[in-house]
């Protein structure tokens, strides 16, 4: 650990103190910061200003800002201070954080002071900002939600720890080679991480394998697990500062360390590679994030990751609990554990093992404690995304946990049998063991069974949970499933990402919305105001020019900032239907080529997103987007009125540049399949209009903004269900739509792939044979909805009015609201709003 606070002499660095959010004398604050940044640069980074790179300035600035956070942090964790009555522990295999500098500056109210301080040193804060690598410890929505929740918990005063894995390598970097996605390793830690505090002294042993012994102690046998192998989990802490610097929580990420750095036996034999082999194998646990969302990896290493961070987190929180409260039996009074999807659901048998085997708590009491402590969030209904592990693998890796799972299962099935005698179908669906597919442990059932509350992430998703995957469990436990519609932190996604719009809003309605985004509703009466429209349009135009510059640099494509920016940014997945958007792009293209001189409305189709490395269809869709882009962008008959850009390497930082520049937000998943979506909320908050299906949180966005301010199209979840049940015939749909037929013919025939005319033949044939995601069924409705978009865009005052309403109603989608609901209705903790 390089703690500058210890290393640098007091003469160059005045005594530190947490800056109040509204520092009265901002120029004095800037001077103080300037001194501190310079001291960090000199004594912690070891550079002179003349030689310092933007990266060096970033580290120096981060360290100076960090000191102020740490002052708060230590104050809050002062042993002399009363302990919070109850803490929340958010267990997540993913935290998709992005950059932290502006988060910290914004929440401490120091952005302008830091800009001034750096400017005085001849340095541009915006350049320093981009020198920070993204912390990409997540795949997509689920990981980003965890990051937004961390910000909100600190902001509304919920005492919390986030627990996860400190991956050496986050989500792969996406490059493009000839339009095909290439994966490159990501290396966010290569220049160090100024936000984290390594704690090599905080470590816990994590066992794997071995056997279970029964030891007689009194009348009852006691089970002792003797693992064959032990890994150490070492803590790395990152402080998470909330709004106005009032609260600082902790993100504690675990890194794997081998108990023995080297095998001396092997080394002495001259086997130098073998001497390190064990260490490499053991430490591989925290090496890399599994880059697949929606399809379980299924490998042993993934299960090891899950147990590794879950066990370390439980040991750590139980240690804290017993140190503060003495008795482990009062755990549920002081601890709420949220399981972010099933990835940490091995926590259920792990807590039972700790309570029963280690602390000697009787089974029934231990089960009560477990149920009262855990709650579980489900993020997807896609059957292929529901985790399950082969019983033989679990038995080999976690033999005691498997015994406990069997016992939980036996007791649950017995209880169900008593309540529904003779209902064998029920027993097979609620069983923790799936007997159909070669005996597997169903992690969703495990998480459900061990939690007092189970939540979905939007109203529709929660309803569908009750009707589909958890139908029988819901029947037995009708009060367990609750809804908690997702949210986003508007501090990052409005105030930091879009300072231009934020200033306009401040001028219009005052700054109160920065504390409570419900105040954004004050914009409603101003929604038709021409003066406001003008200001917002000017702010958005600046954002669009900035994005156009990025597109020019990365894709070598010029786009007109006055064109409609039509944006689809998210993981590439068939159910998200980037294909539907591409088909419409080709339809416009065909129409423009047929009538080149018509007054076509300028439009830019912007795509970004990563595909799982093994997901061939998703990668082919990226290639198709790039093929269409190349063809369209270089066709002179279009006069530049249609442009297509697939921006490579989508990540949090790129999202922060695209979202404030978007006019239209594409949320076009097959209804019933997108659990919530959160990008939809970010885009709407920034004033983009949504074109979308009635899926996930789109439904609630529609309810808030009203039917006139959103473009809804396509089959509903119910209709999708009915179509599938009847057996859907894509060929019939294509026969009925001449536009669609032409589009598919041109793709199939090689119009966009002259270098390889057959590239999309099987793909199109496959779509016609099995259109699993009903792309062809929704095409005509989508095409018609896009024509409504054109119509409205031409009537700019009406468009802008809708845009303002979208921002005004965005407050409800704040993750502060979501976290408030979790606190009251699931965790039973009272936020400290003081
Ligand atoms: C085990 C492999 C795996 C990995 C990740 C399966 C499933 C996942 C996640 C559940 C995928 C995910 O990120 N889901 C998204 O969660 C968001 C936050 O709730 C929602 O907004 C998205 O709709 C949902 O797709």
């Amino acid at each position: 650990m390089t703690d500058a606070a210890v290393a640098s002499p007091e003469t160059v660095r005045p005594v530190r103190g947490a800056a109040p959010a509204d520092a009265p004398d901002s120029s004095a604050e800037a001077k103080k910061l300037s001194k501190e940044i310079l001291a960090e640069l000199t004594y912690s980074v070891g550079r002179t200003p003349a030689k310092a790179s933007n990266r060096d300035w970033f580290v120096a600035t981060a360290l100076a800002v960090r000191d102020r956070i740490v002052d708060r942090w230590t104050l809050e964790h002062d042993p002399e201070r009363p302990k919070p009555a109850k803490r929340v522990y958010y267990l997540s295999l993913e935290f998709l954080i992005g950059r932290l500098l502006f988060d910290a500056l914004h929440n401490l109210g120091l952005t302008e002071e830091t800009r001034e301080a750096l400017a005085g040193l001849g340095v541009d804060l915006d350049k320093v900002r981009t020198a920070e690598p993204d912390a990409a410890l997540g795949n997509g929505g689920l990981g980003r939600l965890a990051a937004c929740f961390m910000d909100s918990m600190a902001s509304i005063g919920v005492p919390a720890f986030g627990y996860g894995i400190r991956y050496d390598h986050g989500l792969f970097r996406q490059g493009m080679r000839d339009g095909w996605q290439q994966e490159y390793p990501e290396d966010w830690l290569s220049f160090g991480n100024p936000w984290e505090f390594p704690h090599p002294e905080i470590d816990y042993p994590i066992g794997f394998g071995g056997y279970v012994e029964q030891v007689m102690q009194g009348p009852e046998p006691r089970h002792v697990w003797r693992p064959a192998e032990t890994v150490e989990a070492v803590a790395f802490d990152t402080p998470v500062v909330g709004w106005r610097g009032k609260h600082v929580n902790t993100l504690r990420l675990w890194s794997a360390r081998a108990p023995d750095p080297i095998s001396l036996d092997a080394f002495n034999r001259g086997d130098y590679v073998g001497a390190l082999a064990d260490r490499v194998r053991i430490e591989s646990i925290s090496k890399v994030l599994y880059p697949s969302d929606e399809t379980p990896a299924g490998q042993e290493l993934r299960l090891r990751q899950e147990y590794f961070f879950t066990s370390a987190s439980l040991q750590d929180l139980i240690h804290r609990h017993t140190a503060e409260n003495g008795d482990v039996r009062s755990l549920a009074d002081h601890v709420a554990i949220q399981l972010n999807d099933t990835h940490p659901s091995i926590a259920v048998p792990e807590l039972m093992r700790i309570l029963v085997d280690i602390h000697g708590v009787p089974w029934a009491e231990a089960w009560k404690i477990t149920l009262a402590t855990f709650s579980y969030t489900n993020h997807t209904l896609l059957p292929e995304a529901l985790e399950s592990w082969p019983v033989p693998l679990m038995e080999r890796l976690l033999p005691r946990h498997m015994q406990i799972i069997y016992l939980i299962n036996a007791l649950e099935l017995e209880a169900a049998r008593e309540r529904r005698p003779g209902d064998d179908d029920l027993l097979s669906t609620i069983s923790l063991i799936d007997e159909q597919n070669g005996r597997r442990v169903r992690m969703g059932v495990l998480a459900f069974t061990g939690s007092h509350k189970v939540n979905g992430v939007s109203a529709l998703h929660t309803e569908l949970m009750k009707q589909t995957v958890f139908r029988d469990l819901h029947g037995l436990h009708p009060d367990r499933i609750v809804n908690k519609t997702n949210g986003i932190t508007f501090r990052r996604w409005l105030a930091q990402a879009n300072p231009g719009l934020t200033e306009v809003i401040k001028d219009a309605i005052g700054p109160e919305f920065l504390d409570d985004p419900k105040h954004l509703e004050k914009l409603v009466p101003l929604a038709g105001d021409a003066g406001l429209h003008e200001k917002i349009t000017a702010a958005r135009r600046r954002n669009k020019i900035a994005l156009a510059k990025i597109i020019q640099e990365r894709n070598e494509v010029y786009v007109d900032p006055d064109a409609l920016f039509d944006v689809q940014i998210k993981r590439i997945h068939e159910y998200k239907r980037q294909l539907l958007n591409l088909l419409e792009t080709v339809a416009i293209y065909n129409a423009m080529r047929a009538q080149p001189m018509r007054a076509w409305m300028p439009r830019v189709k912007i795509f970004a997103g990563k595909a799982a490395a093994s997901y061939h269809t998703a990668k082919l869709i990226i290639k198709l987007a790039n093929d269409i882009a190349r063809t369209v962008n270089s066709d002179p008959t279009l006069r530049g009125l249609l442009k297509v850009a697939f921006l490579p390497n989508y990540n949090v930082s790129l999202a922060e540049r695209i979202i404030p520049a978007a006019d239209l937000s594409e949320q076009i998943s097959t209804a019933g399949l997108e659990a919530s979506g959160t990008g939809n909320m970010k885009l709407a908050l920034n004033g983009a209009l949504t074109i979308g299906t009635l899926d996930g949180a789109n439904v609630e966005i529609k309810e808030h903004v009203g039917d006139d301010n959103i473009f809804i199209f396509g089959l509903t979840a119910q209709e999708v269900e009915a179509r599938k049940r009847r057996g859907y015939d894509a060929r019939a749909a294509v026969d009925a739509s001449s536009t669609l037929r032409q589009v598919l013919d041109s793709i199939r025939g090689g119009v966009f792939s002259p270098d390889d005319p057959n590239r999309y033949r099987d793909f199109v044939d496959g779509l016609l044979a099995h259109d699993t995601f009903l792309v062809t069924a929704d095409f005509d409705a989508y095409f018609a909805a896009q024509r409504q978009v054109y119509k409205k865009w031409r009537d700019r005052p009406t468009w802008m009015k809708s845009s303002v309403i979208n921002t005004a109603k965005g407050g409800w989608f704040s993750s502060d609201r979501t976290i408030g609901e979790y606190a009251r209705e699931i965790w039973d903790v009272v936020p400290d709003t003081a």
Side-chain angles (χ1 to χ4, degrees), residues 141-142 292 294-296 302 341 379-380 457 486 575 674-677:
L142 165 141
S292 170
E294 309 288 358
T295 36
R302 168 82 179 195
D341 215 274
H379 294 267
T380 180
V457 289
N486 282 167
Y575 86 81
E674 188 69 89
S676 158

Side-chain angles (χ1 to χ4, degrees), residues 94 139-143 145 292-297 302 306 341-343 377-380 384-387 457 486 575-576 673-679:
E94 304 192 4
N139 272 288
L142 165 141
L145 186 75
S292 170
D293 71 338
E294 309 288 358
T295 36
R302 168 82 179 195
E306 294 183 352
D341 215 274
T342 56
H343 315 153
T377 306
N378 173 279
H379 294 267
T380 180
E384 66 269 28
L386 299 175
E387 272 191 305
V457 289
N486 282 167
Y575 86 81
K576 294 180 189 280
L673 297 184
E674 188 69 89
S676 158
T678 45

Side-chain angles (χ1 to χ4, degrees), residues 212 223 363 398-408:
V212 180
H223 295 86
W363 179 278
L398 301 168
R400 178 58 184 147
H401 297 78
M402 201 58 233
Q403 291 178 343
I404 292 171
I405 287 170
Y406 279 133
L407 189 49
I408 295 172

Side-chain angles (χ1 to χ4, degrees), residues 174-377:
Q174 178 192 54
M176 291 294 165
R177 191 188 294 163
D178 195 22
W180 294 98
Q181 169 177 301
Q182 297 287 319
E183 303 86 32
Y184 299 98
E186 184 282 338
D187 207 12
W188 69 299
L189 293 171
S190 56
F191 288 88
N193 173 4
W195 300 114
E196 72 181 5
F197 289 86
H199 282 294
E201 78 288 3
I202 304 179
D203 66 337
Y204 295 95
I206 313 296
F208 289 102
Y211 59 96
V212 180
E213 228 179 309
Q214 285 204 19
V215 190
M216 292 310 286
Q217 276 180 352
E220 296 281 324
R222 198 148 164 166
H223 295 86
V224 182
W225 176 27
R226 309 262 184 229
E229 176 176 75
T230 301
V231 180
E232 286 175 9
V234 181
F236 286 71
D237 287 355
T238 300
V240 179
V241 61
W243 175 235
R244 293 194 186 278
K246 283 191 195 144
H247 297 280
V248 185
N249 284 331
T250 305
L251 175 62
R252 176 162 284 182
L253 301 180
W254 302 104
S255 184
R257 186 170 66 189
D260 298 314
I262 191 166
S263 155
L264 274 182
D265 279 353
F267 187 83
N268 291 337
R269 282 199 310 273
D271 177 6
Y272 304 123
V273 174
L276 291 170
D278 264 354
R279 176 175 176 184
V280 169
R281 199 177 48 80
I282 285 174
E283 295 185 351
S284 69
I285 290 183
S286 57
K287 273 281 173 283
V288 22
L289 167 78
Y290 267 92
S292 170
D293 71 338
E294 309 288 358
T295 36
Q299 284 104 359
E300 179 175 329
L301 183 60
R302 168 82 179 195
L303 181 57
R304 282 181 183 259
Q305 287 187 335
E306 294 183 352
Y307 179 63
F308 166 79
F309 101 99
T310 300
S311 173
S313 308
L314 286 188
Q315 292 184 59
D316 190 48
L317 70 88
I318 288 170
H319 175 82
R320 185 171 306 109
H321 171 76
T322 47
E324 285 176 7
N325 305 291
D327 190 356
V328 75
R329 291 168 202 237
S330 62
L331 190 75
D333 298 335
H334 302 284
V335 166
I337 303 177
Q338 190 69 35
L339 305 174
N340 197 24
D341 215 274
T342 56
H343 315 153
S345 59
I346 195 69
V348 171
E350 173 70 353
L351 182 59
M352 287 300 287
R353 186 184 71 84
I354 293 172
L355 292 172
V356 174
D357 294 359
I358 298 176
H359 292 273
V361 179
W363 179 278
E365 191 183 353
W367 186 243
K368 270 201 193 126
I369 298 170
T370 298
L371 260 180
T373 304
F374 286 119
S375 42
Y376 150 57
T377 306

